[in-house]
């Protein structure tokens, strides 16, 4: 008679059947646990994505206004090159901004920068536009729905008259460059961004004691927190020669230092560091609808990580004192046209501490072997700096 196989066959304490059943049970439990974790992680990830995207305000009004004038706007000439207008608003609206002055119901562009990203994402050029630059303003839609008449006035009145749409149309009229995207950030958002990266180091050649900016700092290398950084980039009357020229150069060097801090601190590769930066960067942020989500912002900046710091450049549009008012500015021509043409055609811009200038190169070989000199016009050089420069050197 053969061996009986009963209900418990292979299930003895020392049998392999029990081991197999325990193994299957463990696999089921583990699989369930992993699935639960993935679901939970996905839920947290979606919640974080939704929160950060929700921080951004889509500028629907500007999009509608720009669409109204689309036929008269410049055409983009180079595929994949992008021009982004960065607008720093001096709005006092809300409790976070109220401490910087009384809210009179209007706001102006405290800082405006046209950022050009090359099609190959191998260089970035940020051009400051002086707020006191005298320009032709188009007729713009006011906040109350009425329309202003075209006028010749200071550049920063465009934002006061018709917000970001009016500013964009003014820049496009001035430069003949199509603005693809725009970003508006207020005082609070700027401070939060600086604090999120644990401050930004700058080099001060002399101590600062500015009561208006509520700024008191020693000379040398100093790490500024958000509040100090805001005072530093906005101060005008008591720093240096008190000119807007020096203020814009200070802003440019600070932005270069901020870019360096984000890149050197591995923020982009560390989720624990990246989240507070993104949270700060997206708070108090208004953008065109296409950028008003993390997906939109990521699509724009993902190619920036590999740009060498020496190819992240900052400069101010060539300008001089306005002929009829020394407290205002006007463009220097033909230097400004050359700059705008290079940005429009995605041609590299060269910056240095002294510019703009032009020159020529010739054959300098001596003796009878010298060939007729061939004059080659080098690219114009514009006064500016790069994110790779050390402000203490």
């Amino acid at each position: 008679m053969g061996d009986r196989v009963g209900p418990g066959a292979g299930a003895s304490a020392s049998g392999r059947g029990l081991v197999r059943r325990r193994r299957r049970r463990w696999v089921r439990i583990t699989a369930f646990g992993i699935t639960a974790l993935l679901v939970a992680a996905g839920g947290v990830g979606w919640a974080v994505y939704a929160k950060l995207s929700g921080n951004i305000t889509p500028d629907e009004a500007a999009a509608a206004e720009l669409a109204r004038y689309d036929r008269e706007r410049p055409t983009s000439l180079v595929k994949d090159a992008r021009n982004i207008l960065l607008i720093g608003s001096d709005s006092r609206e809300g409790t976070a901004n109220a401490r910087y002055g009384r809210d009179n119901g209007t706001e102006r562009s405290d800082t405006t920068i046209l950022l050009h990203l090359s099609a190959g994402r191998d260089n970035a050029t940020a051009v400051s536009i002086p707020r006191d630059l005298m320009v032709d303003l188009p007729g713009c839609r006011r906040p109350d729905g009425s329309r202003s008449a075209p006028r010749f006035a200071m550049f920063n009145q465009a934002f006061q008259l018709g917000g970001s749409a009016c500013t964009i149309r003014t820049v496009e009229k001035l430069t003949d460059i199509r603005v693809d995207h725009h970003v508006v950030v207020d005082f609070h958002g700027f401070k939060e961004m600086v604090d999120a990266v644990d401050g930004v180091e700058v080099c001060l050649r002399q101590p600062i004691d500015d009561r208006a900016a509520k700024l008191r700092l020693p000379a040398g290398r100093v790490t500024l927190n958000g509040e100090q950084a805001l005072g530093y980039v906005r101060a005008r009357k008591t720093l240096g020669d008190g000119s807007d020229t020096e203020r814009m150069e200070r802003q440019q060097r600070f932005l270069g230092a901020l870019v360096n801090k984000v890149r050197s601190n591995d923020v982009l590769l560390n989720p624990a560091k990246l989240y507070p930066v993104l949270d700060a960067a997206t708070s108090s942020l208004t953008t065109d609808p296409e950028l008003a989500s993390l997906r939109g912002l990521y699509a724009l900046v993902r190619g920036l990580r590999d740009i060498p710091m020496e190819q992240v450049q900052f400069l101010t549009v060539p300008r001089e004192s306005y002929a009829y008012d020394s407290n205002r500015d006007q463009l220097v021509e033909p230097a400004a046209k050359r700059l705008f043409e290079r940005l429009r055609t995605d041609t590299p811009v060269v910056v240095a501490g002294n510019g703009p200038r032009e020159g020529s190169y010739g054959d300098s070989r001596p003796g009878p072997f010298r060939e007729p000199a061939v004059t080659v016009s080098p690219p114009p050089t514009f006064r500016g700096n790069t994110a790779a420069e050390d402000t203490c050197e």
Side-chain angles (χ1 to χ4, degrees):
M1 206 174 168
D3 296 336
R4 283 187 64 193
V5 180
S12 64
S14 58
R16 285 176 294 182
L18 179 58
V19 173
R20 285 195 296 269
R21 282 205 304 275
R22 286 177 175 170
R23 185 178 298 151
R24 287 194 297 269
R25 188 180 305 120
W26 173 249
V27 169
R28 287 195 300 270
I29 294 173
T30 303
F32 175 79
I34 292 174
T35 301
L37 286 174
L38 288 175
V39 170
V44 171
W46 174 251
V48 169
Y49 178 89
K51 179 185 184 302
L52 294 177
S53 289
N55 285 347
I56 307 171
T57 302
D59 200 346
E60 302 287 358
E65 180 72 356
L66 292 173
R68 176 188 179 122
Y69 292 95
D70 190 63
R71 289 187 177 182
E72 67 181 46
R73 298 180 64 195
T75 302
S76 298
L77 300 182
V78 181
K79 182 182 178 182
D80 295 330
R82 291 292 179 270
N83 296 294
I84 304 98
L85 197 64
L86 310 176
I87 303 172
S89 165
D90 69 355
S91 171
R92 270 70 171 178
E93 185 179 359
T95 55
N97 294 316
R99 61 180 299 182
Y100 301 107
R102 184 171 56 88
D103 181 15
N104 60 6
T106 64
E107 55 181 320
R108 291 175 292 184
S109 51
D110 198 60
T111 300
T112 304
I113 295 175
L114 179 62
L115 175 63
H116 174 78
L117 305 179
S118 66
R121 299 300 187 268
D122 52 5
N123 67 77
T125 302
V127 181
S128 295
I129 302 176
R131 60 184 185 179
D132 295 336
L133 187 68
M134 299 302 294
V135 297
D136 289 312
L137 304 182
C140 297
R141 184 181 186 278
R142 295 189 180 99
D144 63 3
S146 64
R147 290 197 170 270
S148 65
R151 66 187 68 182
F152 186 67
M154 289 193 305
F155 172 73
N156 70 342
Q157 285 191 20
F159 196 75
Q160 182 179 1
L161 282 171
S164 52
C166 190
T167 302
I168 290 168
R169 292 178 59 213
T170 301
V171 169
E172 291 183 338
K173 184 179 182 64
L174 180 72
T175 65
D176 199 28
I177 296 172
R178 175 86 174 203
V179 174
D180 302 294
H181 302 289
H182 69 276
V183 175
V184 182
V185 62
D186 63 16
F187 294 157
H188 178 67
F190 175 82
K191 290 193 310 176
E192 290 294 304
M193 178 67 181
V194 174
D195 285 334
V197 297
D198 297 324
V200 174
E201 183 185 80
V202 297
C203 185
L204 306 179
R205 300 189 182 280
Q206 57 187 17
I208 296 177
D209 189 359
D210 189 320
R211 292 186 178 180
K214 300 177 181 176
L215 202 60
R216 191 170 184 177
L217 300 168
R221 294 186 183 274
V222 181
T223 298
L224 305 180
N225 62 28
E227 190 70 38
Q228 292 169 327
L230 181 62
Y232 179 71
V233 299
R234 295 192 67 236
R236 180 176 181 177
K237 297 181 179 179
T238 61
L239 294 188
D241 60 10
S243 68
D244 202 38
T245 300
E246 186 162 305
R247 189 180 80 118
M248 285 185 293
E249 291 178 354
R250 195 183 326 124
Q251 291 172 350
Q252 293 164 6
R253 292 188 181 278
F254 181 85
L255 290 175
L258 176 60
V259 171
N260 250 324
K261 180 64 178 287
V262 172
R263 292 279 292 267
S264 64
N265 209 27
D266 293 330
V267 170
L268 298 177
L269 302 177
N270 187 332
K273 295 180 179 179
L274 182 60
Y275 174 76
V277 172
L278 288 176
D279 191 31
T282 54
S283 66
S284 306
L285 203 66
T286 300
T287 75
D288 57 279
E290 188 176 345
L291 286 188
S293 69
L294 283 187
R295 183 186 299 276
L297 287 174
Y298 177 73
L300 179 67
V301 305
R302 63 185 174 187
L304 304 182
R305 294 174 297 180
D306 298 326
I307 298 180
M309 287 293 93
E310 60 271 14
Q311 293 301 321
V312 179
Q313 304 177 122
F314 300 89
L315 68 151
T316 300
V317 62
R319 89 272 183 264
E320 61 191 0
S321 293
Y322 179 47
Y324 301 102
D325 186 345
S326 60
N327 293 319
R328 302 290 180 260
D329 291 324
Q330 65 185 24
L331 294 179
V332 172
E333 299 295 3
K337 287 183 179 178
R338 292 192 183 101
L339 173 61
F340 300 150
E341 175 68 18
R342 298 186 81 81
L343 297 176
R344 185 165 51 249
T345 58
D346 197 30
T347 305
V349 172
V350 180
V351 301
N354 55 344
R357 65 180 186 273
E358 292 183 357
S360 62
Y361 299 108
D363 191 336
S364 61
R365 290 179 295 172
F369 300 102
R370 183 170 54 198
E371 298 174 357
V374 177
T375 300
V376 179
S377 296
T381 301
F382 299 89
R383 180 177 177 178
N385 62 281
T386 74
E389 294 180 23
D390 189 333
T391 57
C392 280
E393 295 180 353

